[in-house]
Amino acid sequence: MIVAMAASLQAQVRLPNCQVRGDQLEEDMWENLWKQNWDGAAKLISPAFQSIRDNKIRDRDGEIAFIKTQSFKFHFPHNYQTTYSGDAVIVSYKIGHYADAPGGKGKKIRVDVEALSVWRHTPRGWQWVAHVETAGAPPAQSAKPDNSAPRASRGTVERWDTGLADAEAK
């Protein structure tokens, strides 16, 4: 019994405060992006970094060039899920933002992009080594209690009414 407990404990070795740390690593990166602190963001990105966004694979230099072209002002990460393996932290989450509704007319819809980042603890500190984002889709309507109803497929856009579009139209 003692041997079984020791083996079980050995298999469950965890980095200290990993759940909080995974969320914090992403928040640190997002803080740099919101402030357009490109040097701060670059310090967190590993030389071996790879990403997939918009069906393109990018290395570290390509990712830095890409993020410099983006506006992150109205992006908000949420729903963090963190796991770990040795010196790595894997964080999956959603990135919400507002996009123009089909047909235009100033209407905005909320779109959630699913993301996954891998962070590794190195002699330089925590480094962002990989990132993947899916195509965005509107979040499921919270007013629909029936979860068995078919969900909109990716790429299908539903109106997500925040009241912002109506206020902007007036």
Side-chain angles (χ1 to χ4, degrees):
M1 172 121 171
I2 293 174
V3 173
M5 286 176 57
S8 175
L9 289 173
Q10 191 173 28
Q12 295 179 14
V13 173
R14 299 179 180 194
L15 294 173
N17 300 318
C18 196
Q19 178 70 39
V20 172
R21 191 66 215 160
D23 297 1
Q24 188 60 51
L25 291 167
E26 288 298 327
E27 293 291 336
D28 290 349
M29 177 57 82
W30 278 95
E31 186 74 22
N32 285 312
L33 298 177
W34 287 322
K35 292 179 177 179
Q36 297 184 338
N37 179 2
W38 309 130
D39 290 338
K43 288 177 185 173
L44 295 173
I45 302 174
S46 167
F49 180 87
Q50 288 188 24
S51 71
I52 300 176
R53 298 174 189 252
D54 304 322
N55 297 323
K56 292 183 182 175
I57 299 171
R58 293 181 176 88
D59 62 5
R60 180 183 191 277
D61 293 339
E63 185 71 10
I64 292 169
F66 174 76
I67 63 176
K68 286 180 176 181
T69 68
Q70 303 301 300
S71 170
F72 296 98
K73 186 175 181 180
F74 298 108
H75 288 65
F76 47 96
H78 60 98
N79 290 1
Y80 293 101
Q81 300 294 318
T82 302
T83 57
Y84 44 85
S85 178
D87 63 355
V89 176
I90 302 106
V91 184
S92 46
Y93 59 101
K94 294 180 185 263
I95 305 166
H97 65 94
Y98 292 93
D100 292 328
K105 298 182 184 177
K107 302 258 183 199
K108 298 281 187 184
I109 59 169
R110 182 174 139 195
V111 176
D112 275 344
V113 174
E114 295 168 333
L116 181 134
S117 291
V118 179
W119 294 83
R120 183 167 177 249
H121 194 263
T122 71
R124 298 168 127 178
W126 286 99
Q127 295 277 285
W128 197 29
V129 296
H131 184 75
V132 177
E133 289 182 9
T134 64
Q141 298 290 334
S142 59
K144 295 179 184 176
D146 182 9
N147 291 334
S148 64
R151 290 186 62 182
S153 64
R154 268 204 212 293
T156 301
V157 178
E158 296 176 14
R159 173 93 163 88
W160 192 77
D161 191 358
T162 63
L164 294 175
D166 296 333
E168 290 173 357
K170 291 181 181 179

